[in-house]
């Protein structure tokens, strides 16, 4: 069975401060990991995926298979980063496999 | 980019009636669509996986007779909540995967449908 754990339900930081949203996973096979973001009153959208190894909006995430983690980081948070962030996992092999989401972390960036 | 629409965006119905929610992929074909349910300030819970031309696969605990899913074409899947009750009130979200599949293809999410059962 696949499981995604986001230990922090709420995270509040000040503008310009570093931010790290934690994500741990449990899966016996080879996983694909994703971070999705949901801004207020908007649909869920993909922020980044581990296979792309890219930085989006200043965010990065590194898959650590030893620690089974995929933490999302940004060195300097901005107010517009305030949103709900979901970590998600799916088995490697294709987009037709189901995603398993964590419970989400609500990030608030204060001015 | 790929766009997924849902209709209606919100619906209010009386207890005991049935409600149909449509999910459409507007600019791509989707062999697979997923239906999720999201409670306020909570995560998305997968309800079922819908494959074009075949029966949907429901997650454990989801009543297939209550949540009827039809994926009749490569661009349309419908979720019908039958004999709705107040506890069915929720935010229903669909996502669609392009027909070409592959690891680099993502799921695209619809804007969601807010169902309120009185």
């Amino acid at each position: 069975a696949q499981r995604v754990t986001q230990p922090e339900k709420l995270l509040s930081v000040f503008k310009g401060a570093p931010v790290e949203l934690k994500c741990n996973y449990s899966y016996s096979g080879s996983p694909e990991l994703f971070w999705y973001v949901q801004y207020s009153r908007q649909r869920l959208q993909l922020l980044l995926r581990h296979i792309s190894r890219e930085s989006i909006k200043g965010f990065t995430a590194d898959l650590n298979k030893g620690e089974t983690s995929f933490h999302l980081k940004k060195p300097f948070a901005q107010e517009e980063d305030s949103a709900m962030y979901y970590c998600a996992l799916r088995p490697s092999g294709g987009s037709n496999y189901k995603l398993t989401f964590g419970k989400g972390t609500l990030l608030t960036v204060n001015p | 980019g790929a766009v997924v629409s849902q209709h209606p965006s919100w619906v209010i119905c009386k207890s005991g009636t049935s409600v149909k929610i449509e999910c459409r992929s507007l600019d791509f074909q989707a062999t697979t669509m997923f239906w999720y349910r999201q409670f306020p300030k909570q995560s998305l819970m997968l309800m079922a996986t819908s494959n074009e031309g075949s029966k949907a696969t429901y997650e454990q605990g989801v009543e297939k007779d209550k949540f009827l899913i039809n994926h009749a074409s490569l661009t349309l899947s419908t979720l019908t909540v039958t004999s709705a009750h107040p506890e069915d009130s929720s935010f229903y979200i669909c996502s669609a995967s392009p027909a070409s599949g592959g690891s680099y293809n993502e799921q695209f999410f619809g804007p969601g449908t807010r169902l309120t059962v009185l």
Side-chain angles (χ1 to χ4, degrees):
Chain A
Q2 49 204 65
R3 190 187 319 167
V4 177
T5 303
Q6 292 179 250
E8 303 141 328
K9 198 170 183 178
L10 302 170
L11 184 61
S12 183
V13 300
F14 285 102
K15 177 183 174 181
V19 63
E20 181 180 51
L21 290 84
K22 290 185 167 50
C23 172
N24 288 90
Y25 67 90
S26 173
Y27 180 60
S28 57
S30 180
E32 289 184 40
L33 274 297
F34 304 83
W35 276 99
Y36 283 84
V37 60
Q38 190 172 28
Y39 300 102
S40 180
R41 299 179 185 275
Q42 294 189 27
R43 71 182 69 196
L44 200 68
Q45 57 186 285
L46 179 66
L47 180 62
L48 52 79
R49 70 193 91 185
H50 90 271
I51 57 175
S52 299
R53 296 180 174 272
E54 56 196 346
S55 173
I56 303 293
K57 298 184 179 182
F59 284 98
T60 58
D62 292 317
L63 178 61
N64 186 323
K65 291 187 177 180
E67 295 182 358
T68 59
S69 68
F70 188 57
H71 303 326
L72 183 68
K73 301 177 184 178
K74 184 169 182 176
F76 307 102
Q78 302 299 313
E79 289 180 67
E80 54 265 30
D81 295 329
S82 296
M84 193 73 173
Y85 291 81
Y86 294 99
C87 182
L89 174 155
R90 79 173 180 214
S92 294
S95 59
N96 294 341
Y97 294 123
K98 64 181 184 181
L99 282 165
T100 298
F101 285 88
K103 291 185 182 300
T105 298
L106 181 61
L107 173 65
T108 302
V109 181
N110 301 297
Chain B
V3 179
V4 175
S5 70
Q6 283 184 240
H7 178 79
S9 55
W10 59 270
V11 56
I12 301 173
C13 69
K14 292 182 178 179
S15 186
T17 61
S18 294
V19 174
K20 180 185 284 188
I21 302 170
E22 292 184 349
C23 176
R24 293 181 185 273
S25 55
L26 298 185
D27 48 4
F28 66 97
Q29 294 185 326
T31 50
T32 304
M33 290 184 173
F34 302 87
W35 286 97
Y36 298 86
R37 185 171 178 175
Q38 185 179 35
F39 291 100
K41 297 187 178 181
Q42 293 191 32
S43 188
L44 285 77
M45 299 297 295
L46 180 66
M47 298 174 66
T49 302
S50 165
N51 293 296
E52 186 266 337
S54 63
K55 290 184 179 180
T57 303
Y58 290 81
E59 294 300 300
Q60 191 173 12
V62 178
E63 298 176 60
K64 59 183 67 177
D65 293 331
K66 181 163 187 64
F67 298 100
L68 300 178
I69 292 173
N70 185 287
H71 193 158
S73 78
L74 286 172
T75 59
L76 173 65
S77 177
T78 60
L79 168 68
T80 301
V81 183
T82 62
S83 186
H85 290 282
E87 57 265 30
D88 299 324
S89 298
S90 192
F91 197 54
Y92 292 88
I93 302 172
C94 74
S95 71
S97 292
S100 54
S103 294
Y104 284 84
N105 282 349
E106 63 183 89
Q107 287 184 25
F108 298 94
F109 285 81
T113 296
R114 172 76 59 196
L115 170 63
T116 302
V117 184
L118 302 176

